[in-house]
Amino acid sequence: MLQNYLTVSPEVRAALEAGRPVVALESTIIAHGMPYPKNMETALRVAQTVRSAGAVPATCAILDGRLRAGLGTDEIERIARAGATIPKTSRRDIAYLLSQGLSGATTVASTMLVAHLAGIRLFATGGIGGVHRGAATSMDISADLQELAQTPVAVVCAGAKSILDLGLTLEYLETLGVPVLGYQTHELPAFYTRKSGFSVDYRMETPEAVARLLHIKWGLDLRGGVVIANPIPAEYALDAAVMEKAISQALAEAEQIQVKGKAITPFLLARMEQLTGGESLEANIELVCNNARLAAEIARAYSAQTAHAQP
Ligand code: PSU
Ligand code: MN
């Protein structure tokens, strides 16, 4: 049944069948998160980073009416060139796109879903969606959080951008039962910056310790995902005051021209980009690679522990 809708690349399938580590990667960041050709260079570099760290990359998307886990260079290039003409696709959009034979760039939520259907446990991205500032009246809460509540995939990210309300995002994740782990930090990172003023639930020091927690969570059949927050390397971090100013301006503009629904996150990301010059793009690229490396290390530890558990 599943194979009617899902294509897992031969390389990814072989790795999964042999119990070797695989890391899922999303495609909204390619189509909507960065301009061409940086988006393509970044997607290829991130995949290479996963490989260098000893895991198999599985870029996920919807292409021509099929869920895909594991894309070739030509397919990544197709998404990168298509940019925003490939629709940003969350859980709610999947059945429609498949029914129409269409293509979609997968967000954190839909990439988690595709990864889970394929049997992939680890996923690396830049930042997750969350509770938006002003959500008390807009009710704008990313579907990423709901997916984390129900789909057993661990997401390595650099926290979330402070275009969101990070305090409410943590509250919401607590309600949904999603652990937020800080990798070698007590503090939730805020994407471009290593600090946010908010604490994570637990600080973890090694990939092995994170992998052990994942085995226990899923071994106990506690549903849902885990957020692994990995701060941007200090040398690439940006100035918090400068970023906050850009965020305030981008939010004010979004309010003024009434951007709503799924358009708001790409709008804010693009404006931040313009307002901070190329600097934020460079930081974005470096933090994604940093997350890809950590996700690969955790995936390796997870596979090794699985192998040991089986006599
Ligand atoms: N945050 C980022 N970069 C991104 C996204 C979020 O810093 O590229 C993307 C991810 O694909 C995420 C999605 O899943 O935006 C969340 O969108 P929304 O807020 O509409 O749920
Ligand atoms: Mn939203």
Side-chain angles (χ1 to χ4, degrees):
M1 181 62 180
L2 192 54
Q3 56 272 32
N4 291 340
Y5 308 115
L6 171 69
T7 302
V8 180
S9 74
E11 185 195 15
V12 170
R13 190 166 358 107
L16 290 168
E17 281 169 5
R20 291 199 306 269
V22 177
V23 172
L25 302 166
E26 64 156 304
S27 45
T28 287
I29 194 172
I30 307 175
H32 295 267
M34 291 177 191
Y36 181 84
K38 279 274 180 196
N39 57 352
M40 184 173 76
E41 291 163 24
T42 303
L44 298 177
R45 186 177 146 199
V46 170
Q48 187 51 47
T49 303
V50 170
R51 268 184 215 291
S52 304
V56 173
T59 308
C60 297
I62 297 175
L63 290 178
D64 309 315
R66 290 191 68 82
L67 303 173
R68 301 285 301 269
L71 300 182
T73 305
D74 48 338
E75 291 154 331
I76 290 176
E77 175 163 5
R78 172 178 160 193
I79 295 169
R81 283 185 185 276
T85 62
I86 290 200
K88 175 178 160 191
T89 301
S90 196
R91 170 182 271 265
R92 67 144 183 216
D93 308 298
I94 289 176
Y96 176 78
L97 291 183
L98 265 53
S99 75
Q100 300 290 313
L102 295 172
S103 300
T106 49
T107 62
V108 168
S110 50
T111 302
M112 285 178 73
L113 190 58
V114 174
H116 173 55
L117 294 175
I120 302 169
R121 294 296 200 174
L122 268 296
F123 165 22
T125 187
I128 56 168
V131 180
H132 282 259
R133 297 191 193 186
T137 49
S138 70
M139 295 205 33
D140 190 350
I141 298 171
S142 175
D144 294 353
L145 301 187
Q146 211 61 46
E147 202 65 43
L148 280 160
Q150 57 179 323
T151 300
V153 171
V155 183
V156 180
C157 63
K161 284 206 179 84
S162 25
I163 54 172
L164 303 170
D165 188 318
L166 299 183
L168 291 188
T169 300
L170 288 171
E171 290 291 348
Y172 202 78
L173 287 169
E174 180 190 0
T175 301
L176 297 173
V178 178
V180 178
L181 312 179
Y183 189 71
Q184 298 180 349
T185 182
H186 289 293
E187 191 161 340
L188 180 73
F191 200 84
Y192 297 118
T193 57
R194 293 173 62 84
K195 293 188 179 300
S196 66
F198 294 96
S199 295
V200 295
D201 300 327
Y202 303 105
R203 173 179 172 135
M204 309 294 283
E205 300 296 342
T206 63
E208 289 71 24
V210 176
R212 210 151 43 235
L213 182 150
L214 297 178
H215 272 290
I216 293 170
K217 178 177 163 91
W218 295 326
L220 275 173
D221 212 13
L222 296 175
R223 288 177 316 134
V226 172
V227 174
I228 300 155
N230 186 31
I232 183 172
E235 64 266 41
Y236 301 113
L238 302 182
D239 184 80
V242 172
M243 293 321 288
E244 189 52 43
K245 194 157 164 268
I247 288 165
S248 306
Q249 183 172 340
L251 284 168
E253 289 176 7
E255 169 90 30
Q256 202 175 21
I257 60 172
Q258 299 266 300
V259 191
K260 287 206 165 58
K262 73 177 187 179
I264 187 132
T265 298
F267 173 85
L268 293 172
L269 298 183
R271 277 307 281 149
M272 296 277 297
E273 187 60 59
Q274 293 157 353
L275 291 167
T276 58
E279 221 185 338
S280 64
L281 181 57
E282 269 337 286
N284 199 341
I285 294 169
E286 294 300 335
L287 68 83
V288 179
C289 288
N290 190 47
N291 295 341
R293 194 173 316 112
L294 178 60
E297 288 167 6
I298 298 169
R300 286 176 56 187
Y302 188 87
S303 291
Q305 291 171 16
T306 308
H308 283 138
Q310 285 167 355

